[in-house]
Amino acid sequence: MGYDDVITHLGEFGRYQKRIYYLLCLPAIVCAFHKLAGVFLLAKPDFRCQLPHEDAATAQFSSLPHEKWSLAYPPDSVTGKASTCEYYDVTYSADYLNGSEPFTQNGTVACSAGFLYDQSKYLNSAVTEWDMVCNRSLLSATSDSLFMLGVLLGSFIFGQMSDKLGRKPTFFASLILQLIFGVLAAVAPEYFSYTISRMIVGATTSGVFLVAYVIALEMVGSSYRLFAGVAMQMFFSVGFMLTAAFAYFIHDWRWLQIALTLPGLLFVCYYWIIPESARWLLLKGRKEEAFVIIEKAAKENRVEIPSEIYEQLVEEVAEKKKQDELTASQPAATVFDLLRHPNLRRKTLLIFFDWFVNSGVYYGLSWNTNNLGGNQLLNFMISGAVEIPAYVLLLFTLNRWGRRSILCGTMLIAGVSLLLTIAVPSGNTWMIVACAMIGKLAITASYGTIYIFSAEQFPTVVRNVGLGASSMVARVGGILAPYLKLLGEIWQPLPLIICGALSLTAGLLSLLLPETLNKPMPETIEDGENFGKKQEPAISAEAGSNQELKGMLNQS
């Protein structure tokens, strides 16, 4: 007897659960706004150094025709394009600018008068306002990197809060912080306050999205958890695409940041709609509050819960408390338990590498759409749209084809499609975009698979520790991903080639991991060490079923 049996009596996905579930999916859209906003907030348009003869009040990017750039700006030794961070030290008279040969004998001068930006695509951005170009170009990537550091810190902070203080208080605390610092980022007077505000917003995305995810998954039956988990990710993809729609209509970066933040106000009313997790209340011994929520759900679903079920729940909670006290007196499991044994260590390191690659490549591709060429908004929209078929693929294949097959197959497809950009002729933009989007679709499917596959590999006694460590390694990939954009300025396909090489390598190495579909989960360290060896001993028959695994995974 357990809370899952209560869900069975209520209906695994009854009217009450559907109403709460779909309401909880909506905050995923706003979290996507914040995670992807950096593409437009920190957009880097074409620019050039203002020349000495130009008046700062009237000079524009187009004031100097592009065909005259060779007279003012030296060629870059790496890209061969005009290096607009410096200019020739000459007198820019009308006669000189009407000539055809640059005067290079006096050398060059570093830009000091300021920069002129192309406003045909972006009216402005944080990059243009604070001149994050040339020797300051690392600042924009560092801002996005610190945002992802905030996501990492938020997963720790709000994860602990949700377990100790409850899901509902944590959700609303992170939501209010997200609103406050989202607006502060929009009105920040300089780079430092903007970046700190964005980092805190990044932390709150973990609180809002992950806590909503947990509440939603804890109230549906085990047979619906795979669908519920994947469908919520689809709402994130919808938010991905809607970010481009906001950017299409709002061209000022400060107003764009405010517009992407304010929809979060709609979710404040959830305080009177969304209940605390009944499962969490029971684990904390607050059975009366839990029973009220269960009764309300039963009434809306038009079912009745037998009184003996409540009695059994009370007994189960008391037994669970005793087990927790016994567990607390024993040494806590650490990630080092996964590294002490050779087979388990090999699998753990492979899983860590898969997480690192999936996160790095996913965000690297998502944030690199401005470097692909063509219509940047359309590229971004397509990058979000391809995630939908990726998740649909998982719904129909994850329990049929096997976890390893899908993980390896999708990563190999991503790797090959991205590496093919090497052979794309220069200037053939649509082929580069097509290869990048195939890679994005494949890596999205892979990212969705690695969650379940990892949980099935780790033994029960260290599963949460293993998943937590994997998530941390993934965030490291996300923290490094923004710097890939800078490589695209050297050679357009370079970020795609790096992502492709990583994906292909991780896909091939994943073949060394054992398949887990329809296999009992390892319970002990010994089970985990033996799982996947050529001669596998029988794993504990008391291991959870595949359906129970999905529930555990999604709650983690």
Side-chain angles (χ1 to χ4, degrees):
M1 174 64 198
Y3 185 74
D4 282 338
D5 295 310
V6 175
I7 296 294
T8 302
H9 281 84
L10 283 175
E12 293 200 342
F13 200 41
R15 181 179 176 182
Y16 174 83
Q17 289 103 314
K18 287 177 182 177
R19 177 172 62 86
I20 301 299
Y21 170 76
Y22 288 118
L23 286 173
L24 287 170
C25 284
L26 295 177
I29 296 176
V30 175
C31 289
F33 288 168
H34 290 296
K35 281 195 170 183
L36 280 306
V39 173
F40 304 106
L41 301 178
L42 295 167
K44 183 179 178 180
D46 290 336
F47 69 94
R48 66 179 180 86
C49 180
Q50 180 183 322
L51 298 175
H53 73 287
E54 293 181 302
D55 183 2
T58 58
Q60 295 181 350
F61 176 80
S62 57
S63 298
L64 182 69
H66 198 277
E67 59 268 18
K68 298 290 185 181
W69 280 23
S70 61
L71 296 173
Y73 306 110
D76 187 283
S77 59
V78 177
T79 65
K81 299 178 181 178
S83 175
T84 54
C85 296
E86 55 186 352
Y87 58 90
Y88 290 122
D89 185 13
V90 299
T91 300
Y92 288 92
S93 63
D95 290 339
Y96 175 76
L97 291 174
N98 287 329
S100 59
E101 292 294 328
F103 184 81
T104 62
Q105 293 180 11
N106 291 346
T108 60
V109 178
C111 189
S112 58
F115 297 92
L116 302 173
Y117 296 93
D118 181 5
Q119 294 182 313
S120 62
K121 294 180 180 179
Y122 297 100
L123 177 63
N124 58 40
S125 70
V127 168
T128 66
E129 184 166 330
W130 297 317
D131 287 334
M132 288 187 276
V133 293
C134 298
N135 59 350
R136 289 167 54 87
S137 59
L138 276 176
L139 291 177
S140 61
T142 301
S143 182
D144 271 338
S145 184
L146 289 174
F147 178 91
M148 291 305 294
L149 177 62
V151 174
L152 170 61
L153 296 175
S155 63
F156 284 116
I157 296 169
F158 292 112
Q160 292 292 320
M161 284 179 61
S162 69
D163 285 339
K164 292 183 178 180
L165 304 179
R167 318 304 196 207
K168 187 173 179 178
T170 303
F171 175 83
F172 286 101
S174 54
L175 177 63
I176 297 301
L177 286 173
Q178 188 174 97
L179 288 167
I180 293 172
F181 284 93
V183 173
L184 287 178
V187 299
E190 34 69 39
Y191 172 81
F192 180 77
S193 56
Y194 164 81
T195 299
I196 294 300
S197 297
R198 283 279 295 164
M199 185 171 72
I200 295 174
V201 170
T204 64
T205 59
S206 294
V208 173
F209 180 78
L210 294 180
V211 174
Y213 188 91
V214 169
I215 295 175
L217 271 293
E218 285 182 340
M219 66 172 56
V220 302
S222 57
S223 62
Y224 281 90
R225 284 181 185 144
L226 178 62
F227 162 79
V230 173
M232 184 171 278
Q233 296 287 351
M234 290 184 184
F235 277 83
F236 184 91
S237 301
V238 170
F240 193 128
M241 292 182 282
L242 287 176
T243 305
F246 275 87
Y248 179 80
F249 290 105
I250 304 173
H251 299 155
D252 182 275
W253 76 270
R254 292 184 182 275
W255 284 110
L256 176 61
Q257 172 64 23
I258 290 174
L260 294 173
T261 299
L262 291 183
L265 283 171
L266 298 174
F267 306 124
V268 174
C269 67
Y270 279 17
Y271 187 83
W272 295 275
I273 301 173
I274 303 298
E276 180 58 270
S277 167
R279 191 187 297 266
W280 180 84
L281 289 170
L282 286 169
L283 289 175
K284 294 299 179 180
R286 295 160 60 177
K287 58 182 184 296
E288 291 81 7
E289 297 172 66
F291 292 164
V292 169
I293 294 172
I294 293 171
E295 283 293 339
K296 183 178 180 180
K299 183 178 180 180
E300 187 168 334
N301 289 352
R302 298 177 182 177
V303 297
E304 290 186 7
I305 305 296
S307 57
E308 57 267 20
I309 286 184
Y310 292 115
E311 296 171 2
Q312 292 172 340
L313 270 179
V314 172
E315 294 175 2
E316 184 191 64
V317 169
E319 182 63 29
K320 180 71 168 59
K321 278 190 173 182
K322 291 180 181 178
Q323 291 178 359
D324 289 343
E325 291 173 0
L326 181 62
T327 303
S329 64
Q330 299 174 351
T334 69
V335 70
F336 296 107
D337 293 321
L338 293 167
L339 303 175
R340 289 194 177 100
H341 307 278
N343 186 43
L344 193 55
R345 178 171 59 247
R346 177 179 60 85
K347 292 187 296 182
T348 298
L349 294 176
L350 287 172
I351 290 170
F352 284 175
F353 184 63
D354 281 344
W355 277 80
F356 173 83
V357 170
N358 274 274
S359 178
V361 172
Y362 176 85
Y363 286 107
L365 294 178
S366 298
W367 289 332
N368 191 54
T369 52
N370 284 352
N371 288 337
L372 297 179
N375 189 314
Q376 296 173 356
L377 283 172
L378 182 60
N379 293 345
F380 187 88
M381 181 79 76
I382 296 172
S383 184
V386 296
E387 294 187 2
I388 303 295
Y391 290 128
V392 172
L393 173 71
L394 293 185
L395 284 176
F396 287 100
T397 62
L398 205 53
N399 289 330
R400 296 180 181 179
W401 296 356
R403 284 61 157 127
R404 185 180 66 176
S405 302
I406 295 176
L407 179 69
C408 297
T410 52
M411 293 188 80
L412 291 174
I413 291 171
V416 171
S417 64
L418 295 174
L419 287 174
L420 281 175
T421 57
I422 298 175
V424 175
S426 178
N428 203 331
T429 301
W430 74 268
M431 286 189 67
I432 289 180
V433 172
C435 289
M437 296 310 157
I438 293 172
K440 178 65 187 303
L441 187 154
I443 206 65
T444 300
S446 172
Y447 208 174
T449 305
I450 192 65
Y451 280 87
I452 292 179
F453 192 48
S454 300
E456 293 173 331
Q457 296 282 351
F458 292 128
T460 300
V461 292
V462 287
R463 183 165 295 124
N464 284 339
V465 170
L467 289 172
S470 299
S471 179
M472 183 180 71
V473 173
R475 299 305 170 207
V476 173
I479 289 169
L480 296 177
Y483 295 100
L484 285 174
K485 292 189 298 183
L486 300 179
L487 299 178
E489 298 174 12
I490 300 173
W491 183 34
Q492 187 184 29
L494 186 54
L496 305 180
I497 293 169
I498 293 173
C499 289
L502 287 171
S503 298
L504 189 66
T505 303
L508 292 172
L509 289 175
S510 296
L511 292 170
L512 300 175
L513 293 168
E515 179 57 75
T516 59
L517 181 63
N518 298 325
K519 300 281 184 68
M521 291 193 305
E523 293 285 325
T524 65
I525 293 292
E526 183 181 0
D527 290 339
E529 174 64 14
N530 291 328
F531 185 57
K533 287 185 176 180
K534 291 183 179 180
Q535 300 295 327
E536 290 184 12
I539 296 176
S540 171
E542 296 178 358
S545 67
N546 185 46
Q547 298 293 349
E548 292 171 334
L549 163 68
K550 295 175 196 167
M552 174 283 306
L553 168 66
N554 289 322
Q555 291 168 39
S556 301

